[in-house]
Amino acid sequence: MLKNCVVFIFICIFSLPVAAKWFKNSFKVMGTQAHVEFWLDDNKTNTADTQQQVQQLIAIVQNEMRRIDEAMSPYKASSELSLINAQAGIKALQISPELFHLLQVSQKISKLSNGAFDITYASIGYQYDYRKKQRPSKNAIKKALPAIDYSAVKLDAKHSSVRFTHKNVKIDLGGIAKGYAVKRCLALLKAAGVKHALVNAGGDTGLLGDRHGRPWYVGIKHPRAENKMAVELPLINEAISTSGDYERYFIEDGVRYHHIINPQTGDSARKVVSVSIIGKDPTYVDALSTTIFVEGLVAGMKLIDSLPEFEAIIIDNQQTLHVSKGLQQQ
Ligand code: AMP
Ligand code: MG
């Protein structure tokens, strides 16, 4: 009887109009699932005005992600990225300030990591097709390796132009563009007056403020058990990105071929199975999760411990969880 009462009260509380102040939307973009969630400080909840505002905010987020996808997708022949790949090996190409900025950030992280993060990984990357279980031969990798070299990407800030010094260079922003998209969407929501929001694209999540008086809880997927979480973290006003070898992969003769490529070998990076980076800037957090995945536990943790603005959670090949120094102190 008491139990029924509790259930009844529970249902009543959660049917009060106040619960409707949270708004959520999920959609597909950039080859992944995106999600936005926000709180509106509005007494007119459920009125037509609020509904209109909600739809507008959701449209802002969807349009921004789609705009970035149109510009940066390697699969769209009309994207600015495809244009760069077609022409920058032949001549210097003037590009948008936005793409120029992302190429600059990419170069910075390549230098910081001695090339573990390298957008020219795509010079071989396009020969992998994880759905079709296709991978390049040893010979094809050997042939492509000279074109995997971030120093072959020359940026000219004065003319906002890019030039590849090797004709076979191809670039791909898959390791950084989703974090950048999350960052842009949060900025747009903030500019529209939103104070509590979560934006997620695949493994990249950005948070605006708290979850209205409580922290947000962001999960890190268990790398070998689908629909299970390895950890859940309470976070406020932070970004978190996870790179895992379970996202896009196939297994051949017991070897896992997945989407994060070691630029030195042209093969998948296999030192660890999952890397999450936490910090304020979603763009950097995204790029660093890919970087640390390639670097592995020892070099990766050393790099993160040298960067006070970022923390890491790394799951190694034995499925042991390691955390950076800043997280150990808490
Ligand atoms: P993420 O899921 O953020 O770790 O990004 C993985 C994506 O980054 C891949 O799907 C590729 O598009 C791209 N990528 C793979 N290897 C590298 C690398 N070594 N440096 C930069 N980007 C990479
Ligand atoms: Mg990443």
Side-chain angles (χ1 to χ4, degrees):
M1 178 59 194
L2 182 66
K3 207 170 155 192
N4 281 347
C5 249
V6 174
V7 171
F8 179 69
I9 292 166
F10 183 84
I11 291 168
C12 285
I13 291 170
F14 282 87
S15 6
L16 290 176
V18 71
K21 285 191 169 187
W22 280 111
F23 300 94
K24 299 178 183 183
N25 181 259
S26 296
F27 56 102
K28 282 210 155 48
V29 70
M30 298 174 130
T32 191
Q33 189 72 24
H35 180 72
V36 55
E37 212 172 308
F38 53 87
W39 164 277
L40 286 187
D41 274 326
D42 187 349
N43 297 327
K44 300 171 296 186
T45 303
N46 278 336
T47 65
D49 276 1
T50 306
Q51 283 312 316
Q52 198 185 357
Q53 191 190 359
V54 168
Q55 292 316 315
Q56 273 169 2
L57 291 169
I58 290 171
I60 285 175
V61 169
Q62 290 192 356
N63 292 342
E64 183 63 0
M65 290 233 183
R66 288 184 184 132
R67 183 189 68 76
I68 291 171
D69 192 31
E70 287 299 321
M72 301 182 193
S73 169
Y75 305 108
K76 294 190 160 97
S78 60
S79 72
E80 194 176 1
L81 184 104
S82 295
L83 194 73
I84 295 174
N85 278 335
Q87 298 191 4
I90 305 163
K91 57 173 188 184
L93 194 71
Q94 197 182 356
I95 58 174
S96 65
E98 185 171 48
L99 245 140
F100 192 85
H101 162 71
L102 272 189
L103 293 188
Q104 272 182 322
V105 175
S106 298
Q107 292 295 74
K108 193 171 154 186
I109 295 175
S110 294
K111 283 181 195 145
L112 189 72
S113 65
N114 267 324
F117 186 84
D118 188 337
I119 56 173
T120 70
Y121 91 90
S123 308
I124 190 69
Y126 77 94
Q127 293 192 41
Y128 285 89
D129 189 325
Y130 303 98
R131 257 183 232 162
K132 292 186 184 153
K133 303 190 176 190
Q134 279 170 6
R135 62 188 176 91
S137 65
K138 277 202 175 117
N139 226 358
I141 291 180
K142 204 174 148 200
K143 243 176 101 186
L145 277 180
I148 305 180
D149 177 6
Y150 67 90
S151 67
V153 178
K154 300 290 180 204
L155 297 174
D156 177 348
K158 204 170 146 206
H159 300 101
S160 185
S161 69
V162 58
R163 166 100 168 93
F164 301 155
T165 55
H166 189 296
K167 69 175 173 34
N168 292 342
V169 167
K170 297 274 174 279
I171 59 168
D172 184 306
L173 297 173
I176 190 168
K178 288 202 292 294
Y180 173 73
V182 164
K183 181 176 176 166
R184 285 280 314 150
C185 290
L186 284 180
L188 292 174
L189 287 176
K190 193 175 174 185
V194 177
K195 294 191 179 70
H196 309 273
L198 174 151
V199 176
N200 163 269
D204 306 298
T205 302
L207 307 170
L208 185 61
D210 61 10
R211 203 177 184 280
H212 206 253
R214 292 167 189 198
W216 298 90
Y217 280 85
V218 184
I220 297 175
K221 280 187 191 166
H222 191 294
R224 294 294 178 265
E226 239 179 279
N227 302 325
K228 216 172 138 184
M229 292 295 163
V231 207
E232 273 206 322
L233 301 166
L235 295 171
I236 295 172
N237 223 11
E238 299 272 354
I240 175 166
S241 281
T242 298
S243 293
D245 67 0
Y246 49 83
E247 290 291 345
R248 259 179 288 153
Y249 73 98
F250 63 90
I251 292 177
E252 192 185 300
D253 297 331
V255 181
R256 183 179 288 252
Y257 295 92
H258 67 88
H259 68 311
I260 303 170
I261 303 296
N262 180 346
Q264 275 181 357
T265 62
D267 188 11
S268 300
R270 296 196 187 85
K271 288 182 181 160
V272 293
V273 299
S274 167
V275 173
S276 301
I277 303 293
I278 302 157
K280 294 284 178 214
D281 187 325
T283 311
Y284 276 83
V285 162
D286 183 9
L288 283 171
S289 70
T290 314
T291 308
I292 303 305
F293 193 104
V294 173
E295 289 202 315
L297 179 62
V298 178
M301 215 44 123
K302 196 171 160 207
L303 177 58
I304 287 299
D305 282 336
S306 75
L307 304 171
E309 324 83 287
F310 301 101
E311 300 300 338
I313 298 176
I314 302 179
I315 305 177
D316 68 19
N317 280 320
Q318 272 69 51
Q319 292 186 36
T320 306
L321 199 137
H322 306 262
V323 300
S324 56
K325 285 202 179 119
L327 292 177
Q328 290 166 21
Q329 286 154 9
Q330 284 175 5

